[in-house]
Amino acid sequence: GTPVGSGAGRLVNLPAANAAGDLYGWTEGFFDQPDGIEDLVLWDAAAGTVTVVGESGIGTRQQGLAFDGAGVLFLVNDGGWTEQTDDADVYRIDTGTGAATYVGSIGPLDFGVAHHGKFNPVDGYYYGIDRNPSMSPTGFQLAVLDIASLSVVNLIPTVDNLHTIVFADAAQPPQPPEAVPALSGLGLVLMVMVLAAVAVVVVRRFA
C-alpha cells in the first residue's frame, strides 16, 4: 500500500477526526530544520495520502491536536520550545486554511507540555501528556486543562513512557443469561400433587 504521509514530504502525526469523519493531522519538523514547516494536513484514509491544508505560521514541538465538543480544532504546543516557559501555548486551527490563531497560555506545567492529548467528551477538558520530574526519568503525568478558562485543572501521575491518549465509548458488557428459577421444596411437593391428581383423573376416565 501507500505509506501514510505520502504527499506532504514530511513527518505526519497527531490524527484528529471531526464529527463528520474528516481526518486531520499535523506535520512535524526535526531539530535541524527551520520553523515554518509544521502545518495542518488532511488525510485521505482510503488512498493513504495527506494534503497540506495551508501554512500555520508557527513552529511546534511536543504538541497535541484535538477537536473539542463544539468541533473547534485546537493545538496545544510546547511553550518551552518557543518561549522557554513552563506554560503550554494554545492555538485555534482553521481547518479551511490551516492558519493558527494564538488563544493564550496555560500553566505552569512541569515541562510546559501537554502533548498527544484529546478532549474528554464527558467533562470537556483537554487531557495531555506532561513529564513528572518527581517520578522516574521516564515518568509522565496527565495534564488536565480547561481550554475555555486557560487553566490547569489537575496533574495526575500515570504510567511510564505514555505517548498517546484516546477516549472511546465503553462497550456494553455482555449480560449473562438469566438463570432459570429453581423450585423450592414446597413447590416440588405441590407439583407432585398436581401431577398425581391429573393421573387419577385420567385413570378414572379410561377405567
Side-chain angles (χ1 to χ4, degrees):
T2 304
V4 172
S6 174
R10 49 189 112 176
L11 180 65
V12 178
N13 61 9
L14 302 176
N18 60 18
D22 300 317
L23 184 61
Y24 293 87
W26 194 257
T27 60
E28 187 175 80
F30 298 94
F31 295 110
D32 59 348
Q33 295 177 318
D35 289 343
I37 66 169
E38 294 90 359
D39 301 309
L40 183 70
V41 299
L42 179 62
W43 249 303
D44 185 331
T49 58
V50 296
T51 302
V52 176
V53 176
E55 295 294 329
S56 68
I58 60 174
T60 58
R61 186 189 71 160
Q62 297 190 107
Q63 67 278 4
L65 185 72
F67 285 95
D68 70 359
V72 178
L73 184 61
F74 287 94
L75 184 136
V76 180
N77 193 30
D78 178 0
W81 177 241
T82 56
E83 303 167 359
Q84 300 301 309
T85 70
D86 291 330
D87 295 343
D89 294 329
V90 180
Y91 296 86
R92 185 182 297 107
I93 307 299
D94 188 321
T95 56
T97 66
T101 301
Y102 180 70
V103 175
S105 296
I106 299 179
L109 301 171
D110 287 329
F111 276 81
V113 299
H115 66 95
H116 288 79
K118 296 296 179 185
F119 284 92
N120 185 337
V122 176
D123 58 28
Y125 295 140
Y126 173 91
Y127 287 67
I129 303 170
D130 186 28
R131 288 187 179 274
N132 187 330
S134 65
M135 299 172 65
S136 68
T138 57
F140 290 86
Q141 61 189 3
L142 292 179
V144 184
L145 309 180
D146 184 348
I147 300 297
S149 64
L150 295 175
S151 60
V152 179
V153 177
N154 203 357
L155 297 174
I156 307 171
T158 186
V159 296
D160 288 1
N161 294 312
L162 181 67
H163 199 66
T164 192
I165 297 172
V166 65
F167 290 95
D169 293 332
Q172 182 69 24
Q175 299 297 317
E178 294 185 5
V180 178
L183 290 175
S184 63
L186 179 60
L188 288 173
V189 171
L190 292 175
M191 184 179 68
V192 170
M193 293 176 63
V194 170
L195 291 176
V198 171
V200 169
V201 170
V202 171
V203 169
R204 288 180 175 178
R205 181 178 179 184
F206 291 96

